[in-house]
């Protein structure tokens, strides 16, 4: 599938995906969703030597200003639920991606845009970033996981406030609340995300994937996260990287991980 909206660039194993609808503040229309689905569901998992992924928005004003409100016309109960389920499924692919996915939040991250940023494993906010879930202004609620993930990052009380008031918060406030991992000067978001991915890429790749799985399991109510953690701990003990990592520590040298 050709990508018409996503600009995808692979630099030495770090893929930067830019949502390129600057005039619409990078709002998530159907095509953008289909392309995200294609990359995170099919093309991305096949990439060899992938260290991590950065998701960002084109231009200086917006990361993503939400679902495309201009496509809401004619939505009914059935089609709106289907849209919500589709968005949730695509964001689940991002959340469960096998290498780190970092949102480089360069401006407005509203509604579906805040939800997209929250589906990523981390968020680097530029100082002009603005986060919010303004759906109640439109007579709707977040549909791509926002009511659930916002609580995970900032706790029930503050999540309730942002969801009910539709207030936006800036980068510093997002950082203070735990929504943004880092705040950087405007324009440095992608560079900081790259720096984090390069650091993670020095670690044992299977352990990184398993850590992502275990952290995510904590939030799936129907799974026993402790049991899965123990299971994955056992799986990792069989890897060459584990043996190498422990040996390198004892020998006081840097480990040479092979992803095996
Ligand atoms: N969908 C479609 N188009 C959008 C958009 C969106 N979410 N957000 C902005 N745009 C478009 C505007 O319509 C405008 O296009 P035109 O020039 O063709 O009119 C262009 O982007 C620039 O926007 P503004 O002129 O509004 O820019 P501004 O600087 O005055 O305001 C803003 C910026 C505060 C972000 C404002 O655009 C805004 O409030 N956008 C909507 C934010 C929102 O409500 N997001 C939630 C959507 S619902 C959702 O996401 C549901 C879900 O969870 C599933």
């Amino acid at each position: 599938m050709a990508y018409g909206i996503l600009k995808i660039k692979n630099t030495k194993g770090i893929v930067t995906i830019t949502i390129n609808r600057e005039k619409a503040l990078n709002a998530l229309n159907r095509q953008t969703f289909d392309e995200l689905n294609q990359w995170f569901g099919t093309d991305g998992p096949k990439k060899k030597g992938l260290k991590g992924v950065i998701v960002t928005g084109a231009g200086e004003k917006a990361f993503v200003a939400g679902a495309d409100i201009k496509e809401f016309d004619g939505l009914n109960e059935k089609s709106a639920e289907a849209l919500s389920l589709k968005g949730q499924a695509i964001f689940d692919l991002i959340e469960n991606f096998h290498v780190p996915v970092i949102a480089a939040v360069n401006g407005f991250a509203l509604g579906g845009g805040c939800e997209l940023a929250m589906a990523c494993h981390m968020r680097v906010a530029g100082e002009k970033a603005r986060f919010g879930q303004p759906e109640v202004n439109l007579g709707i609620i977040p549909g791509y996981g926002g009511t659930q993930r916002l609580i995970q990052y900032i706790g029930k009380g503050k999540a309730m406030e942002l969801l009910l008031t539709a207030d936006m918060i800036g980068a510093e406030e997002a950082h203070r609340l735990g929504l943004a991992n880092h705040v950087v000067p405007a324009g440095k978001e992608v560079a900081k995300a790259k720096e984090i991915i390069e650091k993670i890429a020095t670690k044992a790749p299977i352990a990184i994937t398993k850590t992502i799985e275990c952290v995510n399991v904590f939030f799936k109510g129907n799974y026993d996260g402790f049991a899965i953690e123990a299971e994955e701990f056992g799986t990792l003990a069989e890897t060459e990287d584990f043996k190498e990592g422990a040996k390198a520590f004892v020998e006081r040298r840097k480990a040479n991980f092979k992803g095996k």
Side-chain angles (χ1 to χ4, degrees):
M1 175 179 156
Y3 291 95
I5 290 176
L6 302 187
K7 297 262 178 245
I8 301 171
K9 195 173 153 203
N10 187 340
T11 312
K12 295 182 189 155
I14 300 182
V15 167
T16 304
I17 297 179
T18 305
I19 298 170
N20 190 28
R21 297 188 73 214
E22 195 176 340
K23 284 195 179 133
L25 302 188
N26 307 318
L28 301 170
N29 63 354
R30 285 190 193 91
Q31 191 185 340
T32 310
F33 259 138
D34 288 343
E35 293 186 14
L36 285 170
N37 191 34
Q38 175 70 24
W39 200 85
F40 282 101
T42 305
D43 295 342
K46 283 194 233 151
K47 287 252 172 304
K48 297 258 180 284
L50 194 58
K51 293 177 181 167
V53 183
I54 299 167
V55 179
T56 194
E60 291 175 6
K61 193 166 167 181
F63 171 69
V64 166
D68 192 320
I69 300 168
K70 289 166 188 166
E71 288 187 349
F72 281 1
D73 194 29
L75 275 185
N76 58 30
E77 186 176 348
K78 213 170 156 204
S79 58
E81 185 178 351
L83 177 70
S84 171
L85 290 172
K86 183 178 169 188
Q88 287 179 4
I90 295 167
F91 287 5
D92 268 358
L93 288 174
I94 297 176
E95 184 166 61
N96 294 303
F97 204 64
H98 65 291
V99 293
V101 183
I102 302 186
V105 183
N106 50 313
F108 289 112
L110 301 176
C114 188
E115 292 170 299
L116 170 62
M118 291 194 291
C120 296
H121 301 130
M122 287 172 237
R123 284 141 298 285
V124 173
E127 56 197 2
K128 289 191 195 149
R130 308 272 287 155
F131 296 83
Q133 296 287 166
E135 284 87 348
V136 291
N137 288 335
L138 302 167
I140 200 164
I141 60 169
Y144 306 149
T147 61
Q148 304 304 298
R149 288 198 182 95
L150 193 57
I151 302 167
Q152 295 168 11
Y153 291 113
I154 70 175
K156 183 177 172 185
K158 202 66 197 175
M160 193 70 93
E161 183 182 339
L162 290 189
L163 290 161
L164 296 183
T165 61
D167 281 351
M168 284 187 220
I169 55 170
E172 288 297 345
E173 174 78 340
H175 185 235
R176 197 181 62 77
L177 291 172
L179 183 56
N181 295 69
H182 298 273
V183 181
V184 295
K188 301 284 182 211
E189 302 87 357
V190 169
K192 179 67 187 176
K194 277 188 181 157
E195 185 190 313
I196 298 169
I197 290 172
E198 287 294 3
K199 181 189 273 189
I200 296 170
T202 64
K203 320 297 177 196
I206 306 171
I208 293 302
T209 300
K210 296 296 181 189
T211 301
I212 292 170
E213 283 176 27
C214 287
V215 171
N216 285 338
V217 157
F218 177 84
F219 295 103
K220 305 267 181 233
N222 50 345
Y223 289 97
D224 180 345
F226 288 98
I228 290 176
E229 183 188 80
E231 203 178 296
E232 300 296 17
F233 193 80
T235 308
L236 285 162
E238 296 286 329
T239 64
E240 285 179 28
D241 280 352
F242 174 65
K243 292 180 179 60
E244 164 64 8
K247 197 160 174 274
F249 175 80
V250 173
E251 292 170 2
R252 294 181 181 274
R253 61 175 172 81
K254 200 164 175 276
N256 179 19
F257 293 125
K258 297 205 167 67
K260 290 182 186 163

